[in-house]
Amino acid sequence: MYEKDTIVALATPLGKGGIGVVRVSGPLVTDIANGMIGGIPEERIATFTSFLDAGGSPVDQGLALLFKSPRSFTGEDVLEIQGHGGPVVMNLIVERVVELGARLARPGEFSERAFLNDKIDLSQAEAIADLIDSASNQAAMSAMRSLRGEFSRKVYHITESLVQLRTYVEAAIDFPEEEIDFLEDPRVNSGLDALIEKISDLKNEATQGALLREGVSIVLAGRPNAGKSSLMNRFTGTDTSIVTEIAGTTRDVIDEHVHLDGVPIRLIDTAGLREGGDPIEIEGVRRAVKEIDQADFVLIVVDLGAHREDLNSHVEQLMYEIPNNAPYLVVLNKSDIWQPTTVDLSCEYVLTSAVTGVGIDVLKGRLKEGIGYTVGGEGTFIARSRHLDALQRGLEALSKGKTAFADSRAGELLAEELRRCQLALGEITGEFTSDDLLGRIFSSFCIGK
Amino acid sequence: MTEKHFEVIVVGGGHAGTEAALASSRMGCRTLLLTQNIETLGQMSCNPAIGGIGKSHLVKEIDALGGIMARAADEAGIHFRTLNARKGPAVRATRAQADRALYKTAIRNALEEQPNLLIFQQSVDDLLVAGDRIEGVTTQMGLSFYAPTVVLTVGTFLGGVIHVGMEKREGGRAGDAPSNRLAARLRELPFQVGRLKTGTPPRIDGKTIDYSELESQPGDEPRPAMSYLSTGEEHPRQVACHITHTNEKTHDAIRAGLDRSPLFTGEIDGVGPRYCPSIEDKVVRFTDRSSHQIFIEPEGLNTREVYPNGISTSLPYDVQLDLVQSIKGFEQAHITRPGYAIEYDYFEPRDLRTSLETRYLAGLYFAGQINGTTGYEEAAAQGLVAGINAALSVKEEGLWCPDRSQAYIGVLIDDLITLGTKEPYRMFTSRAEYRLVLRQDNADRRLTAIGRKLGLIDNDRWRMFSEKEAGIGALSKEMASRWVQPGDAKFENHLGKPLSREYNLLDLLKRPEVEVESLLSLAGLPDNNAGVSEQVEIDCKYAGYISRQQQEIDRVRSQHGLGIPKDIDYSGVAGLSNEVSQKLHEVRPETIGQAARISGVTPAAVSLLLIYLKKHKASAALKSA
Ligand SMILES: Cc1cc2nc3c(=O)[nH]c(=O)nc-3n(C[C@H](O)[C@H](O)[C@H](O)COP(=O)(O)OP(=O)(O)OC[C@H]3O[C@@H](n4cnc5c(N)ncnc54)[C@H](O)[C@@H]3O)c2cc1C
Ligand SMILES: Nc1nc2c(ncn2[C@@H]2O[C@H](COP(=O)(O)OP(=O)(O)OP(=O)(O)O)[C@@H](O)[C@H]2O)c(=O)[nH]1
Ligand SMILES: [Mg+2]
């Protein structure tokens, strides 16, 4: 049923030292092996090898494992690539596999194929359905987070320019008897150039910037004195943030790039949330709220020492105050001072002490899961690479269209490439149908008899 | 009439009905065509033109399946043009201005000559229903006719209301009675009914037009043809069209009449087509335009009447007169028939199957304007498909409908039954994602072999088609084996640059600036069938694009061809959101591919469906074992 498509994804969480597995499944597997490692590894035998980029130079080294259909997880030819270059390098490997003809797998798609190819028992149908359902919901949320802020603004801007260009080109094709020949309009050429430039700029920016340098943003939030800055310093191993016993110490946003077992993250310390205070603190709280709003993940820090009597209601109050559109985790800090004997919170939590270091490893583990370097689940990092992949395909279509148009003034070939570009961008911004396009034509031009 | 029992009954002799009746009778089914008035068989309700962008694609597909529309247009066409001639072949289209009378004659002749087909002038008032099956129809004279399949193609006639200014009256189109009994009967059945609107311009007496200042637009020479069977020889005498424009005075006259416009005072609530706005709509919506183009189209060779294309209107008659007479060339114009708008019933097309059979009554098929489309070509295409499927069902064979990658007909029907429509649906090439493959030049290559299997293609057409196919094969083989050496002055002069290595003729043809005719003549090869060399050239020039689209088509077919059982209960599909299962329940897609095209049905939802189907099938197999 799926014999046509080859899919690829990061298959495991990135463990210690950043070892990760990229899994490829489908008919192109042997071609991809040839392109990636310059040969086809022997079946079911782990081969130590270099992974090559398009120019043939190694990006990473590790193990490659080939499983031939039907004796594989999915029932199709499967290639597993184990690298240890951390997420950035693993991502390069995934990109290379896509270049060689695969597409990024949808959440849960490997299991889906395994099921459809009789590799998983029929009684597991519900479980697979659940997996697909939850994984794609998670992916949808991650995609929304990846789309926030500047990136989103630019993508929408690009889509809008594309739609405008298509409006011209398609109108020229479907309404040639209107009084203007849109294809002769210099705006088509200049629009095309501008669009190509905008997409490549955004792609470059997103590749070097947001994705790789900044990583996923994690915000520490809570009441003053909860121990946010102390936790921050635990993570960074420095004393970036000032820690004092005075409530309201931190008054501005402080961020620091750290690696969590090779996963790049951007940790953000904020001012403790409370009403009132001097103008500086009020501004600090305003900034904290803004960061929380844009975060990929929020750590809600609670001072156990100060809330022995009212832990539940305090946590509830905090959750109410903190906008919860991003995933979060409640951190019950200062566990060295006091620990409740039973905790009956309705949300996920960890117990930590920023002073003794107890619970910090558990916290890191939960964080990694939460930001999505886990099997099946999709975090912002992967969501962003899906977006980059879509931008790349859009860009390729545009350059082809430009060539076709220059060579033969063939409007229909340009139109075809613009349509493909729109399909690719539509994976980020949502579908734009041919009827939507016609609607734009009719509202832009006075057309018709 | 003594015969009461038929295999197929077609109701309505418009563009949908005539194709339906011809198709089913050609496939060997005893067919009865019932229509209000034999004089209006094949009547063009609106403009006297067949074809155009996206539409000639449909006409040629109908022709490739043995339909009549293209041949009638060739016999009646008095002005032919190729549109988009300077763009690529995929978006080229043909349009014919037709002499109305000749067109009707051509259609009527074909119907009268068709074996297995009986025509009877009767208006149908009632449907005979037994349980959830159609059994036949009853006419206004109380005559009943019986058949296991009935194709309904009654156009704009159901509950038709005609508007001219603030005046409205019942009518099916100017001069014809509406079908109110039948409309009421259909409303009793479980169909979902809506109202749509369309309009037509006033007609003008050509004697009263001053053409001296108007731009003349002759037809193309050499003259294109619609049918694959035509040579252009059968075309009658050709005449020119003319072009004029509205001006500020026209727009003032229109604005002054808006308070008596049924469109702007809320009299009309049916939705009109966005791409075919009335002139009052254009003036109100595009205030920056001080002028709109009007094509003056002759209505026929034996009449002076003309059709001013571009000023469709339902303004009061006195305003129509003012606006017409403000236009250059029309200062003294006499209006022969006022323009009007018409509102009519249509049925939710998502209640149809791909065969165009209705979900609620087995054996009843809907085709044409009643499915929410507009246009002769769109109607004819549906009529053909409904006629074919009625015949297939009589013969107890599986249904047939082309898919989106095979034909614009497939795009049309898939759009209708999957997405439905909120306005009168017209075909555009931008609706077809496989536009580069679905060309008007290759409809025969896409469909004629299928038509032959269905029993639609007679021996003459089949022989012509087979010869052409063989010719294409032979010519490309020949060209692939003819090599041109570097230094060959004849070719290098023509190409304007030296050849770097040895090339065969097909390689050279890939170059955008090289044309097949000159290449063949340089090589000393005969070019005795333009249809053949054209195909070789297009295949060659589009090769990369065609193979990419073909790969995509194969991929989609292999993943999406899987059928969904009719009785599926979407609420039982694990993981589907309420919203998605509601949508699936409304459309009831027949295949996974159709499900995937419903807006809001995500790839994850498709996965969930696949998993459900797999499990379902396995447990069903278990039960039956
Ligand atoms: C005012 C007007 C303006 C239009 N403008 C345009 C336009 O600008 N562009 C365009 O492409 N299309 C236009 N159309 C639409 C075009 O005419 C139709 O799309 C096309 O004719 C539909 O074909 P059909 O076969 O579905 O119906 P029709 O051509 O309407 O044929 C219906 C047939 O059914 C018969 N009939 C009706 N009721 C009964 C009954 N109870 N029993 C027996 N026979 C019955 C009628 O006599 C008629 O022969 C317009 C139509 C009208 C009326
Ligand atoms: N015993 C104990 N003290 C802690 C712990 N974490 C933080 N503290 C102390 O609590 C006080 C406040 O810590 P900070 O890290 O400055 O708290 P904050 O949340 O950043 O406070 P503001 O910046 O004022 O919002 C300091 O005196 C810390 O030493 C802990 O786990 N255990
Ligand atoms: Mg602090």
Side-chain angles (χ1 to χ4, degrees), chain A residues 308-337:
Chain A
R308 293 175 206 229
E309 307 302 323
D310 64 340
L311 186 60
N312 272 345
S313 59
H314 175 64
V315 172
E316 262 171 42
Q317 175 65 26
L318 277 177
M319 310 255 284
Y320 172 76
E321 282 174 37
I322 293 174
N324 66 345
N325 50 2
Y328 62 87
L329 180 64
V330 171
V331 182
L332 304 175
N333 190 37
K334 306 199 188 177
S335 62
D336 55 304
I337 297 180

Side-chain angles (χ1 to χ4, degrees), chain A residues 167-222:
Chain A
T167 308
Y168 273 89
V169 173
E170 292 291 343
I173 289 171
D174 270 339
F175 306 96
E177 287 181 295
E178 296 307 316
E179 288 155 281
I180 347 151
D181 187 349
F182 302 118
L183 283 179
E184 294 301 318
D185 196 313
R187 265 179 288 184
V188 169
N189 254 326
S190 60
L192 194 54
D193 288 338
L195 203 53
I196 289 177
E197 198 181 310
K198 272 189 236 165
I199 299 191
S200 7
D201 283 356
L202 179 59
K203 231 198 90 212
N204 292 339
E205 244 171 68
T207 313
Q208 306 154 359
L211 182 60
L212 301 184
R213 189 162 41 72
E214 296 175 10
V216 176
S217 69
I218 299 173
V219 170
L220 288 151

Side-chain angles (χ1 to χ4, degrees), chain B residues 371-391:
Chain B
N371 289 339
T373 62
T374 168
Y376 313 137
E377 302 81 356
E378 288 81 352
Q382 294 169 65
L384 178 74
V385 170
I388 290 171
N389 281 296

